[in-house]
Amino acid sequence: MTQPVFRFAPSPNGPLHLGHALSALLNRDMAEEMGGRFLLRIEDIDTERSRPEFEASILDDLSWLGLRWERPVRRQSEHFREYVEALETLKARGLVYPCTCTRGEIRAAIDGKSGWPNDPDGTPIYPGTCRPPPGAMFVDREPAWRLNMTKAIEETGPLAWTEIRADGSTETIMADPAAWGDVVLARRDTPTSYHLSVTLDDALQGVTHVVRGQDLYAATAVHRVLQTLLRLPEPIYHHHRLILGADGRKLSKSAGSEALHVLRSDAARVADIRRLVGL
Ligand code: GLU
């Protein structure tokens, strides 16, 4: 059997909080239990929101938690070329199309259409304005690139993934990529997207086990489509419970008292963090 490979993949656009601690520690614990490797990946494709000081504080918090990872650390902003190449292959196969719609135009296109569906993240499904054959309107602006989901699903057929449950048993989950509509694979301001770069990197780094929060459960359907279209290997998934704040909502990057650096300055020890996240 090949050696399992786990990864923790934070975005350096804010300090780490207890939710990240759970994710990072679970990855490390599972890697240790299974004799696997543990990688760290910095997901900094959003060059506007990513900051070197956040990356530095992430590394510092993770070392403090006792984590050790292989070097060099993959930083996504250093690999835009690889994402562009993958997008080119999808372009050549007619699976993506350029989209010049602004958010305002998308809103206007669905305005007044009651019951318009949202994707699993709560964003209205793209109404298909630019989907080929494109309308007569030509706009002189840099396009985003969207996956033609209907065409993609025709190529892939039905997809599933293997989910490890909290009790360690596994379950086959049917993927529902259609629920996302024509997702953006390359943004206007960045030559890639979360979905494209995460899928490619997990494959390029040989990740066998993707352990991440429940908030990314539905996104796995898009990742399975991309893995199949790009003939990439399929990892096993474990989507863990989320840590909720005092208000009952998922922690955000601005999480004050749940930020690891705040807890550390209040003299918390690693054992306290493990207890707080239920490990
Ligand atoms: N970079 C993503 C985040 O910080 C996580 C990506 C993933 O684990 O698939 O939310």
Side-chain angles (χ1 to χ4, degrees):
M1 203 185 108
T2 51
Q3 191 183 19
V5 180
F6 291 79
R7 56 43 165 203
F8 176 58
S11 304
N13 51 23
L16 294 188
H17 53 59
L18 285 174
H20 297 111
L22 172 61
S23 212
L25 289 167
L26 254 186
N27 268 286
R28 196 274 312 270
D29 290 359
M30 288 176 76
E32 239 170 49
E33 260 166 47
M34 295 173 69
R37 295 163 55 204
F38 173 68
L39 311 178
L40 174 66
R41 182 168 72 229
I42 298 294
E43 301 214 321
D44 60 348
I45 57 168
D46 190 337
T47 46
E48 292 268 298
R49 292 171 65 215
S50 299
R51 302 264 172 73
E53 57 271 30
F54 288 135
E55 183 180 323
S57 85
I58 287 172
L59 299 183
D60 187 54
D61 281 340
L62 293 176
S63 317
W64 177 81
L65 279 174
L67 303 197
R68 300 289 172 263
W69 51 89
E70 293 181 17
R71 279 153 222 264
V73 168
R74 187 175 173 92
R75 200 176 283 115
Q76 289 189 323
S77 60
E78 294 168 358
H79 295 276
F80 283 143
R81 263 233 341 252
E82 285 147 72
Y83 311 134
V84 168
E85 274 166 24
L87 187 72
E88 290 301 324
T89 68
L90 298 176
K91 281 185 196 173
R93 289 156 64 192
L95 285 161
V96 290
Y97 62 89
C99 170
T100 53
C101 292
T102 61
R103 281 205 192 111
E105 285 165 352
I106 294 175
R107 231 177 291 125
I110 59 181
D111 194 32
K113 299 197 168 124
S114 72
W116 188 263
N118 284 348
D119 73 18
D121 274 352
T123 308
I125 297 275
Y126 179 63
T129 320
C130 293
R131 190 187 299 131
M137 194 176 60
F138 175 78
V139 186
D140 187 13
R141 57 170 102 104
E142 192 58 34
W145 288 84
R146 287 184 183 274
L147 182 66
N148 186 330
M149 191 58 93
T150 308
K151 201 166 171 194
I153 292 171
E154 268 166 29
E155 273 202 25
T156 64
L159 293 170
W161 77 84
T162 302
E163 176 81 19
I164 305 178
R165 296 201 196 97
D167 66 4
S169 61
T170 57
E171 186 180 3
T172 301
I173 309 289
M174 286 312 294
D176 182 17
W180 289 94
D182 293 354
V183 287
V184 170
L185 292 191
R187 299 193 323 223
R188 192 170 303 136
D189 53 353
T190 310
T192 184
S193 62
Y194 161 65
H195 294 307
L196 184 61
S197 44
V198 83
T199 306
L200 277 170
D201 281 355
D202 283 337
L204 288 166
Q205 296 191 285
V207 172
T208 58
H209 291 69
V210 172
V211 175
R212 59 186 178 193
Q214 187 71 27
D215 50 339
L216 292 169
Y217 185 88
T220 305
V222 178
H223 305 168
R224 290 291 300 117
V225 168
L226 292 175
Q227 283 155 6
T228 309
L229 294 177
L230 296 167
R231 298 182 184 84
L232 304 173
E234 175 191 349
I236 297 175
Y237 291 87
H238 172 57
H239 293 93
H240 60 73
R241 65 196 154 77
L242 299 177
I243 304 286
L244 304 180
D247 57 1
R249 296 171 55 165
K250 183 185 125 178
L251 296 182
S252 73
K253 282 281 157 107
S254 50
S257 57
E258 288 97 356
L260 285 184
H261 68 92
V262 174
L263 293 159
R264 284 173 63 183
S265 68
D266 286 346
R269 292 160 308 148
V270 176
D272 300 320
I273 304 294
R274 290 191 73 96
R275 189 175 37 78
L276 283 170
V277 301
L279 284 178

